[in-house]
Amino acid sequence: MTGNWTRNAFVYLLILVAAAALFLNVYGPGEAPQKVSLSAVARQVERGEVTRIEVRGERLQVYAGENSQPLASRKEEGVALTRTLHGMGVSEESLSRVKINVQPPSNSGNWFALVINLLPLILIAGLFLFLFRQSQSGSNQALSFGKSKARMFVGDRPTVTFGDVAGADEAKLELEEIVEFLKEPQKFVALGARIPKGVLLVGPPGTGKTLMAKAVSGEAGVPFFSISGSEFVEMFVGVGASRVRDLFEQAKRNSPCIVFIDEIDAVGRYRGTGLGGSHDEREQTLNQILVEMDGFGTDTNVILVAATNRPDILDPALLRPGRFDRRVTMDRPDLQGRRAILDVHVKGKPLDPNVDLDLIARQTPGFVGADIENLVNEAAILAARRNRRTIAMSEMQESIERIAMGGPERRSRIMLPKEKERIAFHEAGHAIVAHLTEDADPLVKVTIIPRGAAGGFVLMVPERDRYLAKRAYFIDSIAIGLGGRVAEEIVFGDISTGASGDIQGITRLARDMVTKYGMSRRMGPLQIGHQEENPFLGRELTDQRDYSEEVAEALDSEVQAIVGEQLQRVRQILTAHRQQLNDVAAALQKRETLNREEFVEVFEGRVASSDLPDPLELQPA
Ligand code: ADP
Ligand code: MG
Ligand code: ZN
């Protein structure tokens, strides 16, 4: 069919353009000059080593002698270079010895930048051409934006399997059931088993959520339909919902299969307060997703998988039973995890024998799978540029630094040795208080690998469901929450921002004790204020403040009293266990993660942290 042909041609064209852009990005244009910081330039100028500086916009080319290779640097935009250098302590005299040529910022000869600038235009032109051809071919789908893009993915059967996702064993275990169902749905249906419709993959960016979703479909050998939440947002009014309808229509026709909605938070954010009022595009799209999910019969063998790194902002309606009620967490990998991911990505790449993958894994706490893939790839590119036949340790080391120092968004993932120490004490503080208090949930493991916004995490799992939480449970939970902050205070004399998430949780707990559960001794069993649940949206919409100023003040002081009391208690506990605090923190710095038994052994002084087995040696080679 001609329609098909044009579509294919269009797709090929896109791929070609993308490949060319990628190629240029990596290899062109020419060899990049060595980059130095502006302060390094300032020092060189001061030492009289610089003869000439070419300024082009914010880019600098620094020459030391006429025949030498220039160094590249950057200055602040819109501020004269001389002023900036002056501000960095360079004397007038040294400056006067440097010839500074300012050139208009141009991209003369930089046709690569030109292509990049024109790319959107080319794409738009391509799109119009595509639509035009389609309408000519007589197909009435010509302008049907509403037709699901999923159509393009029919028969897309990912080749990735669980083997390609390293170090996410718990997640794989949870998803195993889904794979089995997709392989043989009849078996489950015949027994009347209820299989989850929706699985929510939760984790920070780059932890392999998309990869995992594909792996599930690859393992089961079923088609994979995917769409990204952010795509919906850009669409015309009314299109999002019809797209969802089409997507599911296609999926049902091709069942058993997987529908993957990436970045579901883009459409699934909790809906506005406008009751029957503002029905914006996003809201309609979300409603349609819910309608489709609720319409699944027992014979609809479609599993919906969604991914998000912001489960906290999702509309609760999405998380109700029968919707995305299964949650699978993709955490940042720990030491063993990173080692396993390294293995996946160095496969098929020639490594120098001096490459120590264990060491690389140790040096990269905070890296996610995507960082590790990136690290190996950068090292390979570096080695190729240096005309090496193998990737050596030096290239690996350089790439770690590059990625660690890359944009601000990435820098936050990296843990410097000093931070690692602080986080270790912080988490040790939480863990020790958790261990020594009796009424909160027991400690399961403690780790310094960041989870969400917090630096690390002490996982506590309720022994049994707590229908009726006792006052002591709240009190001990508050104490545990304070443990991290107090440990930092004792050891370092100050508190880092890492404790801010804890403080939120603590305040919430203390307020709830007083306002919701009537657990305050002073205020007595009163409900103070009340939350109105919206019957349709099922979300707490408004905090009704139907109490007086005096009550509000009493409430605040009661919350303060509860927290203050626990602060005293936790200070006592941790000061009395200062030695254990050191031991646990040392063990955490070495191991990153301690399970309950390991924690107890270290805490009780039965094992010195230096004698703890090395996690990488525990691994079967
Ligand atoms: P997310 O969807 O969570 O942002 P992706 O699935 O897009 O992350 O991951 C990006 C890339 O990083 C993957 O294509 C893969 O190459 C690599 N990666 C991430 N996690 C892992 C992992 N656990 N094992 C192997 N590779 C991984
Ligand atoms: Mg993704
Ligand atoms: Zn904490």
Side-chain angles (χ1 to χ4, degrees):
M1 217 175 98
T2 34
N4 246 336
W5 184 86
T6 30
R7 178 158 54 221
N8 285 344
F10 179 61
V11 170
Y12 286 134
L13 184 78
L14 268 187
I15 291 172
L16 209 73
V17 171
L22 207 70
F23 179 81
L24 282 169
N25 212 349
V26 172
Y27 296 104
E31 207 180 313
Q34 198 192 334
K35 289 194 182 105
V36 293
S37 69
L38 197 56
S39 52
V41 174
R43 261 177 312 211
Q44 281 185 315
V45 170
E46 188 59 33
R47 285 199 299 263
E49 291 167 9
V50 177
T51 52
R52 181 161 63 94
I53 300 179
E54 301 282 335
V55 184
R56 187 171 268 148
E58 49 170 19
R59 287 167 193 277
L60 307 177
Q61 285 195 317
V62 182
Y63 292 82
E66 270 317 292
N67 300 323
S68 66
Q69 275 287 329
L71 300 173
S73 189
R74 272 169 183 279
K75 72 170 183 78
E76 216 178 314
E77 220 172 7
V79 182
L81 177 64
T82 46
R83 223 177 93 196
T84 312
L85 287 178
H86 212 63
M88 293 174 116
V90 178
S91 67
E92 287 290 351
E93 204 214 327
S94 318
L95 268 178
S96 67
R97 282 196 298 259
V98 183
K99 201 162 24 151
I100 295 178
N101 296 331
V102 181
Q103 286 160 4
S106 77
N107 33 26
S108 59
N110 194 352
W111 64 275
F112 170 62
L114 202 71
V115 171
I116 286 292
N117 285 331
L118 285 180
L119 205 60
L121 258 177
I122 299 174
L123 290 183
I124 290 170
L127 182 70
F128 272 105
L129 193 71
F130 164 66
L131 290 174
F132 178 68
R133 287 278 189 88
Q134 278 241 322
S135 61
Q136 287 230 315
S137 73
S139 143
N140 56 1
Q141 300 170 7
L143 282 166
S144 61
F145 282 102
K147 280 292 168 201
S148 171
K149 232 198 184 162
R151 180 158 306 213
M152 285 172 104
F153 294 100
V154 170
D156 184 10
R157 284 165 194 266
T159 51
V160 281
T161 61
F162 281 163
D164 298 295
V165 193
D169 297 335
E170 280 167 40
K172 282 183 216 171
L173 215 61
E174 299 232 6
L175 292 166
E176 190 57 50
E177 178 188 312
I178 306 273
V179 171
E180 278 176 31
F181 167 76
L182 286 168
K183 271 185 185 162
E184 285 178 275
Q186 320 80 323
K187 201 169 83 182
F188 289 79
V189 173
L191 290 172
R194 197 181 73 84
I195 289 294
K197 290 179 204 169
V199 179
L200 188 65
L201 295 175
V202 175
T207 46
K209 297 181 294 297
T210 307
L211 186 68
M212 183 63 105
K214 284 188 184 154
V216 170
S217 126
E219 282 282 325
V222 299
F224 183 74
F225 295 84
S226 87
I227 193 151
S228 168
S230 56
E231 283 171 47
F232 288 123
V233 177
E234 291 153 17
M235 282 184 299
F236 303 107
V237 180
V239 172
S242 72
R243 240 197 190 188
V244 170
R245 220 173 295 126
D246 288 340
L247 178 70
F248 280 86
E249 207 175 281
Q250 287 289 320
K252 281 182 210 154
R253 231 176 272 156
N254 289 280
S255 76
C257 70
I258 283 191
V259 169
F260 178 57
I261 306 181
D262 210 349
E263 302 174 59
I264 193 166
D265 43 285
V267 273
R269 239 174 303 143
Y270 55 74
R271 286 164 292 187
T273 42
L275 262 184
S278 87
H279 270 298
D280 70 350
E281 180 58 15
R282 197 171 53 73
E283 212 164 285
Q284 282 184 26
T285 309
L286 173 57
N287 284 335
Q288 190 62 37
I289 292 176
L290 297 178
V291 166
E292 295 287 349
M293 285 190 91
D294 293 345
F296 278 15
T298 40
D299 55 343
T300 317
N301 300 324
V302 176
I303 302 270
L304 215 66
V305 180
T308 182
N309 54 351
R310 294 295 310 273
D312 52 317
I313 59 167
L314 287 185
D315 196 304
L318 272 170
L319 308 176
R320 292 240 182 88
R323 292 174 182 166
F324 289 101
D325 49 4
R326 187 73 65 97
R327 184 183 284 215
V328 174
T329 311
M330 302 285 293
D331 273 324
R332 284 172 205 267
D334 58 8
L335 184 52
Q336 285 118 303
R338 294 194 303 272
R339 182 65 183 74
I341 297 173
L342 268 168
D343 266 334
V344 168
H345 291 285
V346 298
K347 204 180 283 166
K349 295 197 173 70
L351 293 187
D352 190 283
N354 78 359
V355 171
D356 182 348
L357 294 176
D358 284 359
L359 183 60
I360 296 171
R362 281 182 219 284
Q363 289 174 334
T364 48
F367 271 42
V368 292
D371 292 329
I372 293 171
E373 184 197 12
N374 207 347
L375 152 71
V376 175
N377 190 44
E378 290 247 333
I381 290 172
L382 268 179
R385 280 189 171 178
R386 293 175 182 165
N387 299 316
R388 292 251 170 79
R389 281 168 190 281
T390 55
I391 304 171
M393 194 61 178
S394 56
E395 277 106 25
M396 292 285 198
Q397 295 284 3
E398 274 187 64
S399 307
I400 293 178
E401 268 156 47
R402 272 198 197 196
I403 290 166
M405 293 306 149
E409 155 248 354
R410 273 199 193 124
R411 196 173 311 156
S412 61
R413 295 175 179 167
I414 299 302
M415 203 185 290
L416 303 169
K418 266 269 158 255
E419 294 167 332
K420 191 169 159 186
E421 187 192 6
R422 190 181 266 275
I423 294 170
F425 274 103
H426 180 105
E427 299 312 324
H430 283 308
I432 289 173
V433 179
H435 184 64
L436 294 175
T437 51
E438 293 185 339
D439 290 302
D441 300 321
L443 180 89
V444 171
K445 73 173 178 181
V446 46
T447 174
I448 58 171
I449 297 297
R451 313 273 139 126
F457 190 59
V458 180
L459 186 67
M460 289 169 293
V461 171
E463 278 181 313
R464 58 208 128 75
D465 286 341
R466 290 178 185 274
Y467 292 110
L468 296 167
K470 287 182 298 189
R471 184 171 195 275
Y473 172 79
F474 281 89
I475 288 290
D476 282 357
S477 300
I478 291 172
I480 294 168
L482 287 165
R485 176 191 162 94
V486 171
E488 284 190 54
E489 186 188 281
I490 291 175
V491 177
F492 302 99
D494 62 356
I495 295 151
S496 71
T497 51
S500 64
D502 294 339
I503 301 303
Q504 255 180 22
I506 291 161
T507 316
R508 177 103 230 155
L509 274 174
R511 276 189 78 91
D512 282 356
M513 278 181 72
V514 180
T515 60
K516 272 197 199 156
Y517 304 116
M519 284 176 181
S520 152
R521 294 201 182 101
R522 190 139 62 90
M523 315 265 293
L526 286 175
Q527 192 191 41
I528 302 169
H530 64 275
Q531 269 106 20
E532 286 224 319
E533 280 244 329
N534 180 300
F536 302 109
L537 304 182
R539 180 151 215 290
E540 291 172 2
L541 286 177
T542 42
D543 251 327
Q544 298 280 342
R545 247 191 79 162
D546 55 4
Y547 46 87
S548 67
E549 229 14 79
E550 290 87 70
V551 174
E553 258 168 42
L555 165 70
D556 281 346
S557 76
E558 185 62 8
V559 167
Q560 267 167 20
I562 292 176
V563 176
E565 201 175 298
Q566 291 315 305
L567 200 58
Q568 286 308 110
R569 177 178 171 217
V570 172
R571 281 197 184 120
Q572 262 169 17
I573 293 179
L574 289 182
T575 319
H577 293 86
R578 184 56 216 265
Q579 182 58 45
Q580 284 94 331
L581 187 60
N582 288 351
D583 292 345
V584 174
L588 276 174
Q589 285 184 75
K590 179 173 182 196
R591 293 289 305 267
E592 294 185 2
T593 304
L594 298 175
N595 64 29
R596 187 189 168 84
E597 291 82 59
E598 291 165 336
F599 169 82
V600 173
E601 281 185 335
V602 174
F603 180 83
E604 293 181 350
R606 278 187 275 134
V607 175
S609 66
S610 53
D611 293 339
L612 276 175
D614 187 297
L616 290 180
E617 279 156 20
L618 295 175
Q619 244 187 339

